[in-house]
Coordinates of all heavy atoms in Angstrom, one line a residue:
F104 N -0.4 4.4 6.3 CA -1.1 5.4 7.0 C -2.6 5.1 6.8 O -3.0 4.2 6.0 CB -0.8 6.8 6.4 CG -1.2 7.1 5.0 CD1 -2.4 7.8 4.7 CD2 -0.4 6.7 3.9 CE1 -2.7 8.1 3.4 CE2 -0.7 6.9 2.6 CZ -1.9 7.6 2.3
V106 N -6.7 6.7 6.8 CA -7.5 7.9 6.6 C -8.9 7.7 7.3 O -9.4 6.5 7.3 CB -7.7 8.3 5.2 CG1 -6.4 8.6 4.5 CG2 -8.4 7.2 4.3
R108 N -11.6 10.0 6.4 CA -11.8 11.2 5.6 C -13.3 11.6 5.6 O -14.2 10.9 5.2 CB -11.4 10.9 4.2 CG -11.2 12.1 3.3 CD -10.5 11.8 2.0 NE -9.1 11.5 2.2 CZ -8.4 10.8 1.3 NH1 -8.9 10.4 0.2 NH2 -7.1 10.6 1.6
E113 N -9.9 15.8 1.3 CA -9.3 15.1 0.2 C -7.8 14.8 0.6 O -7.2 15.5 1.5 CB -9.3 16.0 -1.0 CG -8.6 17.3 -0.9 CD -8.6 18.2 -2.1 OE1 -8.6 17.7 -3.2 OE2 -8.7 19.4 -2.0
H114 N -7.2 13.9 -0.2 CA -5.8 13.7 -0.1 C -5.1 14.7 -1.1 O -4.1 15.3 -0.8 CB -5.4 12.3 -0.5 CG -3.9 12.0 -0.5 ND1 -3.3 11.7 0.6 CD2 -3.0 12.0 -1.5 CE1 -2.0 11.5 0.4 NE2 -1.8 11.7 -0.9
G115 N -5.6 14.9 -2.3 CA -5.1 15.8 -3.2 C -5.3 15.4 -4.7 O -5.9 14.3 -4.9
G116 N -4.9 16.3 -5.6 CA -5.1 16.1 -7.0 C -4.3 15.0 -7.6 O -3.5 14.4 -7.0
H118 N -1.4 13.1 -9.4 CA 0.0 13.2 -9.3 C 0.6 11.8 -9.7 O 0.0 10.8 -9.7 CB 0.5 13.5 -7.9 CG 0.0 12.6 -6.8 ND1 -1.3 12.7 -6.3 CD2 0.6 11.6 -6.1 CE1 -1.5 11.8 -5.3 NE2 -0.3 11.1 -5.2
M142 N 7.4 0.6 -6.3 CA 6.6 0.7 -5.1 C 5.1 0.4 -5.5 O 4.7 0.9 -6.6 CB 6.7 2.0 -4.5 CG 6.1 2.1 -3.1 SD 6.0 3.7 -2.4 CE 7.8 4.1 -2.5
R144 N 1.2 0.5 -3.9 CA 0.3 0.9 -2.8 C -0.9 -0.1 -2.7 O -1.4 -0.5 -3.8 CB -0.2 2.3 -3.1 CG -1.0 2.9 -1.9 CD -0.2 3.5 -0.9 NE 0.7 4.6 -1.4 CZ 1.5 5.3 -0.6 NH1 1.6 5.0 0.7 NH2 2.3 6.2 -1.1
V145 N -1.2 -0.4 -1.5 CA -2.4 -1.3 -1.3 C -3.4 -0.5 -0.4 O -3.1 -0.2 0.7 CB -2.1 -2.6 -0.7 CG1 -3.3 -3.5 -0.7 CG2 -1.0 -3.3 -1.4
V146 N -4.5 -0.1 -1.0 CA -5.6 0.6 -0.3 C -6.6 -0.4 0.3 O -7.1 -1.2 -0.6 CB -6.3 1.6 -1.2 CG1 -7.3 2.4 -0.3 CG2 -5.4 2.5 -1.9
E148 N -10.1 -0.6 1.7 CA -11.3 0.2 2.0 C -12.1 -0.5 3.1 O -12.4 -1.7 3.0 CB -12.2 0.3 0.7 CG -11.5 1.0 -0.5 CD -11.4 2.5 -0.3 OE1 -11.8 3.0 0.8 OE2 -10.8 3.2 -1.2
G157 N -15.8 9.1 -4.2 CA -14.5 9.8 -4.2 C -13.4 8.9 -3.7 O -12.5 9.3 -2.9
G158 N -13.4 7.6 -4.0 CA -12.3 6.7 -3.7 C -11.1 7.1 -4.6 O -11.2 8.1 -5.4
T159 N -10.0 6.4 -4.5 CA -8.8 6.8 -5.3 C -9.1 6.7 -6.8 O -9.8 5.8 -7.2 CB -7.7 5.8 -4.9 OG1 -7.5 5.8 -3.5 CG2 -6.4 6.3 -5.5
H160 N -8.7 7.7 -7.5 CA -8.9 7.8 -9.0 C -7.6 7.6 -9.7 O -6.5 8.0 -9.2 CB -9.5 9.1 -9.3 CG -11.0 9.2 -9.1 ND1 -11.6 9.0 -7.9 CD2 -12.0 9.6 -10.0 CE1 -12.9 9.1 -8.0 NE2 -13.2 9.5 -9.3
F161 N -7.7 7.0 -10.9 CA -6.5 6.7 -11.7 C -6.6 7.2 -13.1 O -7.7 7.0 -13.7 CB -6.2 5.2 -11.7 CG -6.3 4.6 -10.3 CD1 -7.4 3.9 -9.9 CD2 -5.2 4.7 -9.4 CE1 -7.5 3.3 -8.6 CE2 -5.3 4.1 -8.2 CZ -6.4 3.4 -7.7
Y191 N -13.3 3.0 -8.8 CA -13.8 1.6 -8.6 C -15.0 1.8 -7.6 O -15.1 2.8 -6.9 CB -12.8 0.7 -8.0 CG -12.1 1.4 -6.8 CD1 -12.6 1.4 -5.5 CD2 -10.9 2.2 -7.0 CE1 -11.9 2.0 -4.5 CE2 -10.3 2.9 -6.0 CZ -10.8 2.8 -4.7 OH -10.2 3.5 -3.7
F201 N -2.2 -0.5 -6.6 CA -1.8 0.3 -7.7 C -0.3 0.6 -7.7 O 0.3 0.7 -6.6 CB -2.6 1.6 -7.9 CG -2.4 2.7 -6.8 CD1 -1.5 3.7 -7.0 CD2 -3.2 2.7 -5.7 CE1 -1.4 4.7 -6.1 CE2 -3.1 3.7 -4.7 CZ -2.1 4.7 -4.9
E203 N 2.9 2.8 -8.0 CA 3.1 4.3 -7.8 C 3.5 5.0 -9.0 O 3.6 6.2 -9.1 CB 4.1 4.5 -6.7 CG 3.6 4.3 -5.3 CD 2.8 5.5 -4.8 OE1 3.0 6.6 -5.4 OE2 2.1 5.4 -3.8
H207 N -2.4 9.2 -10.1 CA -3.6 8.9 -9.3 C -3.9 10.1 -8.4 O -3.1 11.0 -8.2 CB -3.3 7.7 -8.4 CG -2.2 7.9 -7.5 ND1 -0.8 7.8 -7.9 CD2 -2.1 8.2 -6.1 CE1 -0.1 8.0 -6.8 NE2 -0.8 8.3 -5.8
A208 N -5.1 10.1 -7.8 CA -5.5 11.2 -6.9 C -6.4 10.6 -5.8 O -7.1 9.6 -5.9 CB -6.4 12.2 -7.7
G209 N -6.4 11.4 -4.7 CA -7.3 11.1 -3.6 C -8.3 12.3 -3.5 O -8.1 13.2 -2.8
P210 N -9.4 12.2 -4.3 CA -10.2 13.4 -4.5 C -11.1 13.7 -3.3 O -11.1 12.9 -2.3 CB -11.1 13.0 -5.7 CG -11.1 11.6 -5.8 CD -9.9 11.1 -5.1
R218 N -14.8 8.1 4.8 CA -14.0 7.1 4.1 C -13.0 6.6 5.1 O -12.1 7.4 5.6 CB -13.3 7.6 2.9 CG -12.4 6.6 2.2 CD -11.6 7.1 1.0 NE -10.9 6.1 0.3 CZ -9.9 6.4 -0.6 NH1 -9.5 7.6 -0.8 NH2 -9.3 5.4 -1.2
A220 N -10.0 4.0 5.6 CA -9.1 3.2 4.8 C -7.7 3.1 5.4 O -7.3 4.0 6.1 CB -9.1 3.7 3.4
L222 N -3.7 2.6 4.0 CA -3.0 2.6 2.7 C -1.5 2.1 3.1 O -0.8 2.8 3.7 CB -3.0 4.0 2.1 CG -4.3 4.4 1.6 CD1 -5.0 5.2 2.7 CD2 -4.2 5.3 0.4
N223 N -1.2 0.9 2.6 CA 0.1 0.4 2.9 C 1.0 0.5 1.6 O 0.4 0.4 0.5 CB 0.0 -1.1 3.3 CG -0.6 -1.3 4.7 OD1 -0.7 -0.3 5.5 ND2 -1.0 -2.5 5.0
A224 N 2.3 0.6 1.8 CA 3.1 0.6 0.6 C 4.2 -0.5 0.7 O 4.8 -0.7 1.8 CB 3.8 2.0 0.4
H233 N 10.4 5.5 1.7 CA 9.9 6.3 2.9 C 10.8 6.0 4.0 O 11.1 4.8 4.4 CB 8.6 5.7 3.3 CG 7.5 6.0 2.3 ND1 7.2 5.0 1.3 CD2 6.6 7.0 2.1 CE1 6.1 5.5 0.6 NE2 5.8 6.7 1.1
Ligands
LIG303 O1 -6.2 9.2 -0.7 C1 -6.2 8.5 -1.7 O2 -7.2 8.0 -2.2 C2 -4.9 8.4 -2.5 C3 -3.7 8.5 -1.6 C4 -2.4 8.6 -2.4 O3 -2.2 9.5 -3.2 C5 -1.4 7.6 -2.2 O4 -1.6 6.7 -1.4 O5 -0.3 7.7 -2.8

Side-chain angles (χ1 to χ4, degrees):
F104 65 100
V106 298
R108 191 169 293 160
E113 63 181 322
H114 178 84
H118 55 283
M142 193 188 303
R144 187 82 59 179
V145 187
V146 185
E148 298 287 0
T159 309
H160 279 55
F161 310 103
Y191 48 87
F201 68 93
E203 279 280 345
H207 63 279
R218 180 185 184 193
L222 296 92
N223 292 343
H233 297 91

